[in-house]
Amino acid sequence: MTWWKKSVVYQIYPRSFADSDGDGMGDLRGIIDHLDHLAELGVDVLWLSPVYPSPQDDNGYDISDYQDIEPLFGDLATFDELLAGAHARNMKIIMDLVVNHSSDEHEWFLESRSGTDSPKRDWYWWRPARPGMEPGTPGAEPTNWGSVFGGPAWEYDEKTGEYYLHLFSKKQPDLNWENPEVRQAVYAMMRWWLDRGVDGFRMDVINMISKDVSLPDGRLNAGSAYADGSEAFIGGPRLHEFLQEMHREVFEGREGLLTVGEMPGVTVEEAILHTDPDRREVDMVFQFDHVWVDRGPDPWLLVPLQLTQLKAILGRWQAGLAGAGWNSLYWNNHDQPRVVSRYGDDSPAHRVASAKMLGTVLHLHRGTPYIYQGEELGMTNYPFADIDEFRDIEALGQYKQALELEGRTPEEVLKVLRARGRDNARTPMQWDDSPNAGFSTGTPWLPANPNHVEINAKAQRADPDSVFHWYRRLIELRRTEPAVAEGDFTMLLPNDERLYAFTRRLGGTELLVIGNFSGVEAHAGIDGWDGAELVLDNLDSPPEGLNLAPWQAVVYRRTV
Ligand code: TEU
């Protein structure tokens, strides 16, 4: 079995992980200082969010030099030290690869915008104004698409009188993958990192690199100022071709690597094609269906989680990728609110139990689990009071558009940002109960959650009943029980609104996993498990007759 099917990946968001020099910003030295925390947890792979030079408009997802290290974070020598330190502890490192777009301060873009006859003009998407419209006036953009971060997806450039495409911020111009020179430049850069010793890549919005070159207008949804253009760039016409070319040019003949493509909006059918090893594209993808389940057609209305829907979605992904292909498993990353606040209960009475329950259900699925920094502590959302406490370009941009162009009130938008905003994931990692949570001796770029006095790594490493040690045990179980990594998956109780239940089977071993996603006792009507061995129980209180206490999670094992 391929090594990464038995592995657990841990995501580090460097600017919020650990600050070694007191400037309020996490750095590479800070990661080196905490490698033992990660080794003790037992993870196999570290994924670093971008550490390259960047104006930090989108916290590093706007890269101005692909082959160096952001000075705020360190330098290449420190990076090599980090890589060696991880490898010495048997952990691999994968890099974030952000090549749907670059920074507008990358030399490629500076060259491209210098004139219509620039040799790199065609490295980005330049287009004239809509026919018959005055360039630079509202509505004259080449298409009606909105950018993910608010405002139009096109920026007018006075100098040449044309617009460039930016699906994200205007400081993130989209690279033109139609141009073979662009692709070769990206592949060369990837080989350079692999030659340096890195172990693979997480590929940012990689299913957006191929666009329908006719750039058609998108559908305008009621109440929104700009259209959704995604039909023209999600899973575009040449995506499979580009990924296969990348595989040939970069990965062919290299061993021991991991590739994961971030693919918002990807379908199960497409994901099967992307992850079928015979097609040589990527090892696994990040799909979004299960983190969009609490999102309705109106982006500014909170929709409560419906467990039956969550199970239907994840069950569909499990069944779809059961043959060829492979799942990635995640609740959290730097773009998502904290899962214990979202699908669990972060009140003092239930935080620990529900964090453990959520970890158990996720890690017992078939696929490779990803842990986002602080998830192993059950870190929660931050109590944001007002918009001026947010730093995220997405929150600020969407807030502005909603208020200025779409007639929303501050309170209705804030309500959603508090629950879903990306800064919830980006507050400093909570190392101890000292000021700033032991993250920094200076002023952190985003304040630490006040609950760090209770919730922190130091306290949890010392407490065998902590969320940290529970995650450590989940990772250990994956190593000692082959059915966790390799077993077949069967969903049970699909219509139950409280219990998430399934079995895993490998040869003569069968596991039963049940998680109670509610604050009330719930009975699991599942027969045949009397006398089975109880492998894990987050409450240390074995359920009588499969009556699960609030937020309880259990794993049983039997021989069949
Ligand atoms: O995110 C892509 C993505 O789909 C986001 O739009 C995400 O769904 C949304 O922000 C959730 O609120 C990737 C990176 O993970 C993100 O941090 C970057 O901002 C984005 O690409 C642009 O590089």
Side-chain angles (χ1 to χ4, degrees):
M1 183 182 225
T2 324
W3 67 272
W4 39 257
K5 294 191 173 178
K6 292 181 268 186
S7 299
V8 176
V9 184
Y10 186 97
Q11 183 191 355
I12 294 177
Y13 195 63
R15 58 189 279 139
S16 303
F17 192 64
D19 171 20
S20 71
D21 60 7
D23 66 356
M25 186 74 74
D27 47 44
L28 298 185
R29 176 70 53 202
I31 302 175
I32 294 173
D33 292 344
H34 290 282
L35 282 175
D36 287 334
H37 171 87
L38 304 168
E40 188 186 339
L41 185 59
V43 297
D44 307 278
V45 181
L46 308 179
W47 148 29
L48 300 185
S49 274
V51 291
Y52 318 92
S54 160
Q56 302 288 323
D57 188 53
D58 185 20
N59 295 358
Y61 283 88
D62 48 319
I63 297 169
S64 53
D65 181 353
Y66 287 104
Q67 291 176 221
D68 204 345
I69 296 295
E70 163 61 40
L72 282 168
F73 293 164
D75 53 23
L76 280 168
T78 317
F79 178 82
D80 291 339
E81 203 184 318
L82 169 59
L83 194 56
H87 287 167
R89 290 168 179 81
N90 285 317
M91 295 185 287
K92 296 179 185 258
I93 291 191
I94 65 171
M95 304 293 278
D96 220 307
L97 179 81
V98 189
V99 290
N100 172 69
H101 42 269
S102 71
S103 164
D104 67 334
E105 297 180 36
H106 194 290
E107 63 179 29
W108 295 345
F109 188 74
L110 296 178
E111 170 61 45
S112 182
R113 92 186 298 174
S114 68
T116 49
D117 58 353
S118 157
K120 287 203 168 56
R121 186 65 169 179
D122 185 46
W123 280 42
Y124 294 84
W125 294 88
W126 290 98
R127 290 290 184 278
R130 195 176 279 272
M133 297 283 291
E134 177 64 22
T137 60
E141 293 85 10
T143 72
N144 60 359
W145 305 351
S147 114
V148 175
F149 298 155
W154 296 92
E155 179 71 4
Y156 181 60
D157 192 49
E158 291 267 336
K159 177 153 187 216
T160 54
E162 288 187 331
Y163 292 79
Y164 65 86
L165 176 67
H166 60 89
L167 296 180
F168 294 88
S169 112
K170 65 181 177 199
K171 288 185 67 62
Q172 293 168 302
D174 281 58
L175 280 158
N176 177 13
W177 277 68
E178 295 295 317
N179 186 327
E181 289 175 20
V182 169
R183 306 202 298 272
Q184 289 304 327
V186 168
Y187 305 152
M189 172 273 282
M190 293 172 74
R191 288 189 296 259
W192 184 86
W193 282 105
L194 294 177
D195 290 344
R196 209 170 183 98
V198 311
D199 303 290
F201 298 96
R202 172 269 186 189
M203 305 172 180
D204 193 67
V205 288
I206 203 70
N207 65 335
M208 302 191 188
I209 58 177
S210 166
K211 277 105 172 148
D212 172 347
V213 295
S214 72
L215 304 181
D217 271 339
R219 213 176 349 97
L220 202 56
N221 294 320
S224 54
Y226 299 98
D228 171 10
S230 59
E231 235 172 86
F233 55 77
I234 295 255
R238 298 181 71 188
L239 178 60
H240 292 290
E241 175 198 336
F242 292 161
L243 289 174
Q244 287 171 5
E245 179 184 78
M246 175 192 283
H247 195 284
R248 270 197 314 278
E249 299 274 336
V250 178
F251 301 116
E252 198 83 356
R254 299 189 195 243
E255 298 290 323
L257 304 181
L258 166 64
T259 57
V260 48
E262 189 210 23
M263 299 197 176
V266 70
T267 61
V268 178
E269 293 67 35
E270 282 295 304
I272 295 171
L273 299 176
H274 287 307
T275 63
D276 176 350
D278 290 341
R279 294 172 49 88
R280 294 187 161 71
E281 296 190 16
V282 290
D283 295 329
M284 55 189 104
V285 306
F286 289 132
Q287 58 86 15
F288 281 64
D289 294 342
H290 71 302
V291 292
W292 286 345
V293 68
D294 56 0
R295 193 173 84 165
D298 180 344
W300 301 116
L301 256 184
L302 287 176
V303 178
L305 171 69
Q306 234 188 301
L307 188 66
T308 46
Q309 266 182 35
L310 182 68
K311 292 190 289 188
I313 289 167
L314 287 174
R316 194 159 47 77
W317 279 89
Q318 290 286 307
L321 298 189
W326 191 249
N327 271 292
S328 67
L329 308 170
Y330 75 95
W331 290 136
N332 270 125
N333 58 45
H334 63 293
D335 295 332
Q336 300 296 330
R338 294 287 179 178
V339 70
V340 68
S341 304
R342 184 187 205 175
Y343 297 159
D345 180 342
D346 63 7
S347 70
H350 297 301
R351 184 186 63 84
V352 172
S354 65
K356 291 177 179 176
M357 186 282 291
L358 289 161
T360 308
V361 167
L362 188 78
H363 281 240
L364 269 290
H365 275 75
R366 181 181 158 93
T368 300
Y370 287 69
I371 300 171
Y372 177 67
Q373 66 184 44
E375 182 182 339
E376 81 278 26
L377 308 177
M379 275 176 61
T380 67
N381 281 355
Y382 183 89
F384 290 102
D386 214 344
I387 189 67
D388 59 12
E389 291 186 54
F390 288 88
R391 292 288 168 276
D392 176 23
I393 184 167
E394 175 172 276
L396 301 175
Q398 293 182 349
Y399 181 87
K400 188 169 147 58
Q401 177 174 318
L403 263 63
E404 290 177 7
L405 301 179
E406 294 166 353
R408 304 291 183 148
T409 66
E411 226 5 83
E412 71 179 318
V413 176
L414 271 171
K415 203 170 141 190
V416 174
L417 291 180
R418 283 189 199 110
R420 303 280 156 70
R422 308 195 296 181
D423 280 339
N424 283 303
R426 301 174 179 188
T427 60
M429 175 73 175
Q430 294 169 203
W431 293 107
D432 58 36
D433 62 0
S434 69
N436 305 328
F439 163 73
S440 174
T441 55
T443 306
W445 70 274
L446 198 60
N449 194 313
N451 66 19
H452 73 270
V453 287
E454 305 286 337
I455 305 169
N456 64 71
K458 189 174 172 205
Q460 295 200 20
R461 278 205 306 270
D463 172 5
D465 292 330
S466 63
V467 180
F468 175 82
H469 283 287
W470 187 260
Y471 268 77
R472 197 183 49 68
R473 286 171 66 186
L474 290 173
I475 295 168
E476 202 174 83
L477 182 63
R478 174 169 295 266
R479 280 190 224 308
T480 54
E481 173 49 73
V484 174
E486 300 174 47
D488 291 344
F489 178 99
T490 306
M491 188 69 86
L492 306 175
L493 311 179
N495 300 321
D496 195 305
E497 280 299 352
R498 295 204 176 95
L499 297 178
Y500 199 125
F502 55 89
T503 57
R504 302 292 311 281
R505 181 161 175 179
L506 182 69
T509 301
E510 192 171 25
L511 305 176
L512 170 65
V513 182
I514 316 174
N516 186 352
F517 271 68
S518 84
V520 298
E521 187 180 289
H523 172 71
I526 301 169
D527 295 328
W529 288 82
D530 290 346
E533 175 198 359
L534 184 57
V535 183
L536 287 176
D537 169 10
N538 67 338
L539 300 184
D540 260 335
S541 155
E544 299 268 328
L546 293 188
N547 287 309
L548 272 76
W551 305 106
Q552 186 161 27
V554 288
V555 178
Y556 291 95
R557 175 165 42 205
R558 70 176 180 187
T559 306
V560 284

